[in-house]
Amino acid sequence: MTLFLGLGIAGVVLLALSLIFDGILEGLFGGVLDGLFDGLLSLPVIAGFVSMLGFGGAIVLGTTGVGTFAAVVAGVVAGLVAAWLTWKFSQALMRDQTNATPRDEDLVGSAGSVVTSIPANGYGEVLLRLGGHVVKLSAKSPVPVERGTEIWVEATLSTTSVSVRPVER
């Protein structure tokens, strides 16, 4: 029983360490294992196997009178199921990709509106959409632009300011 509980606790400790050191087994041996097992030898998968081997074996040994061999077999089966589920969940999480982070250059050509009047060659403020969010930026224009006017972004001057021109219809 002590051996099974020790394996279970070791698996939980290994799982905690995998939060810091995940990917280290795949990177060993100069990348020879990279892609070979498709993440099957990752620390979370091994930790899931070891902990369920230990705790599953301890449960079977403590609740039934079948003996050590049957407890080991039950623990191995539980460990394989836990390892497979961990592997599948980690693959699903790795496939979950997000859109690219918006950059300043993505503002060029976008439309917006003036919220603080812009004097000629001076600064005002505009509202623009960047990555689905409304952002308020400083704006400079060679001509005066009144509040509420629709504008186009011609260039980004910095991370917080843009060069704009009024939309002509």
Side-chain angles (χ1 to χ4, degrees):
M1 176 76 77
T2 306
L3 178 64
F4 285 124
L5 290 176
L7 282 173
I9 292 169
V12 171
V13 169
L14 188 60
L15 184 61
L17 289 174
S18 74
L19 294 173
I20 300 169
F21 298 112
D22 188 30
I24 200 164
L25 289 179
E26 292 92 342
L28 287 177
F29 310 112
V32 171
L33 298 178
D34 191 30
L36 186 62
F37 296 108
D38 196 29
L40 199 54
L41 288 180
S42 65
L43 281 177
V45 171
I46 293 171
F49 175 78
V50 170
S51 63
M52 285 308 294
L53 167 66
F55 291 136
I59 289 170
V60 169
L61 191 61
T63 59
T64 65
V66 294
T68 306
F69 182 75
V72 169
V73 170
V76 167
V77 170
L80 288 173
V81 169
W84 183 80
L85 287 172
T86 305
W87 179 52
K88 284 300 186 183
F89 285 142
S90 65
Q91 281 184 327
L93 289 173
M94 293 303 287
R95 278 193 308 268
D96 186 27
Q97 300 296 319
T98 60
N99 293 336
T101 304
R103 300 171 302 173
D104 297 337
E105 299 85 35
D106 295 334
L107 287 171
V108 176
S110 62
S113 62
V114 177
V115 291
T116 304
S117 298
I118 305 171
N121 292 320
Y123 282 93
E125 293 178 320
V126 295
L127 286 180
L128 302 169
R129 286 201 167 276
L130 178 62
H133 298 279
V134 176
V135 292
K136 184 175 169 183
L137 298 172
S138 298
K140 188 174 185 177
S141 175
V143 297
V145 184
E146 295 301 315
R147 183 177 187 265
T149 305
E150 188 178 359
I151 51 91
W152 288 100
V153 176
E154 292 183 320
T156 56
L157 303 175
S158 71
T159 57
T160 59
S161 64
V162 292
S163 174
V164 300
R165 66 174 173 82
V167 173
E168 298 172 8
R169 296 196 187 256

